[in-house]
Amino acid sequence: MRIVSYNVNGIKARLPRLIEYLTEEQPDVVCLQELKASDETFPEADIRAAGYGAIWYGQKGFNGVAVLARGIDPIERQRGLGGEPEDEHSRYLEAEVDGVVIASIYLPNGNPQPGPKFDYKLRWIDRLRARAAELLAEERAVVLAGDYNVIPNDDDVFSVRAMQSDALMQPESRAGYRALLAQGWTDSLRTRFPKGGVWTFWDYQAGAWQRDAGFRIDHLLLSPVAADRFVDAGVDKGHRGREKASDHAPTWVRLR
DNA sequence: ATGGCTTAGTTCCTAAGA
């Protein structure tokens, strides 16, 4: 079972690339982020025609997450996180697919920092951690897949100096991510490439792709039961280099 | 040095992204 996390940066603009990805790679599950589309404008028919069932949690203009499954409809478990009822951002969608619990996560970017956006990011990490603890208590296979907007370690970025004041690698952001892992989650890509140097995002600006100036912010965390089934993890980097590509590459884990 | 692209909505500029 191959599970993908893919920040598409606008599902309308990316639809040809997404359909192409589904057709070529035939992944079992795809967690999408940054749909930038309302519920009403989600391209359900195109995705279904490509052989995938889908659930989605949209928002006009920005945010938006979805879970796609090949040949079946994901069963929705939860949309949004608890702890902040006034929060209307579409950033969390939890489903069950073939007995595995899978969440599509779009953690707030948090720039500029310091400031209210950064505070929101840190609160959101705490809220995610609360949900993650509940999921661990179920003692079943769970995959938390998404754009975490956290660069976990210095070897997860092309240049520490270039990014040092960015919300993505502030000590508070990293501490929140580490505290999540400390609950008992396994960072699948880190397990596969323990020395780092693997990127999932390359900025559109300043020739970042051409210079391979990227970093790792898309993560697939495994519960202990899921980690026992770990086979492999990777980044479909080739899809980042295509015409009209997202600035994120599809990132995946394979489970037995 | 907050620039340098890209997307979407409030469109021919602004906000947001990372």
Side-chain angles (χ1 to χ4, degrees):
Chain A
M1 184 183 200
R2 188 154 83 115
I3 300 158
V4 178
S5 181
Y6 187 13
N7 179 322
V8 290
N9 186 19
I11 194 165
K12 186 181 174 189
R14 211 66 59 215
L15 193 57
R17 283 286 89 88
L18 174 63
I19 298 301
E20 176 183 88
Y21 180 74
L22 297 177
T23 304
E24 289 180 18
E25 304 288 340
Q26 296 279 308
D28 298 289
V29 179
V30 182
C31 295
L32 301 177
Q33 300 89 33
E34 272 207 276
L35 302 177
K36 296 186 176 181
S38 64
D39 282 337
E40 295 72 28
T41 56
F42 184 83
E44 180 186 13
D46 299 272
I47 286 167
R48 199 164 283 283
Y52 284 78
I55 59 171
W56 58 94
Y57 182 23
Q59 185 173 348
K60 196 166 110 177
F62 66 124
N63 302 326
V65 287
V67 180
L68 280 46
R70 187 161 57 92
I72 47 172
D73 287 320
I75 302 162
E76 182 167 330
R77 284 173 50 107
Q78 182 172 315
R79 55 178 57 204
L81 291 172
E84 203 165 316
E86 65 277 24
D87 181 9
E88 293 182 338
H89 287 199
S90 300
R91 296 180 177 275
Y92 183 88
L93 184 60
E94 186 182 298
E96 178 169 335
V97 179
D98 200 15
V100 181
V101 176
I102 297 169
S104 183
I105 290 165
Y106 180 43
L107 206 146
N109 172 299
N111 280 307
Q113 71 81 28
K117 290 188 174 184
F118 189 61
D119 297 339
Y120 172 61
K121 175 179 193 162
L122 298 181
R123 289 199 309 277
W124 207 92
I125 295 176
D126 288 343
R127 293 164 59 203
L128 173 62
R129 204 160 61 237
R131 180 57 185 157
E134 292 176 351
L135 291 172
L136 282 179
E138 295 189 36
E139 298 189 339
R140 55 186 297 189
V142 184
V143 181
L144 302 180
D147 175 0
Y148 283 71
N149 273 314
V150 175
I151 298 168
N153 312 287
D154 284 354
D155 58 14
D156 290 317
V157 59
F158 73 102
S159 164
V160 169
R161 197 174 148 193
M163 296 293 292
Q164 64 185 352
S165 60
D166 196 285
L168 275 56
M169 52 179 281
Q170 291 314 294
E172 298 94 329
S173 307
R174 288 177 162 180
Y177 185 76
R178 268 201 313 277
L180 183 61
L181 291 183
Q183 290 180 333
W185 300 93
T186 296
D187 180 336
S188 48
L189 203 63
R190 188 75 190 179
T191 298
R192 176 65 182 76
F193 302 101
K195 292 177 183 171
V198 177
W199 321 141
T200 67
F201 171 92
W202 294 258
D203 203 302
Y204 287 127
Q205 303 181 69
W209 169 251
Q210 288 75 13
R211 295 187 291 125
D212 196 28
F215 38 84
R216 187 174 76 97
I217 51 175
D218 299 278
H219 309 307
L220 296 108
L221 306 191
L222 309 179
S223 69
V225 175
D228 285 342
R229 294 168 56 179
F230 175 84
V231 177
D232 199 6
V235 180
D236 286 329
K237 189 174 171 180
H239 289 264
R240 172 63 181 85
R242 299 193 182 190
E243 204 67 30
K244 295 280 285 177
S246 171
D247 39 9
H248 295 251
T251 305
W252 54 269
V253 65
R254 191 185 296 281
L255 305 179
R256 267 184 292 277

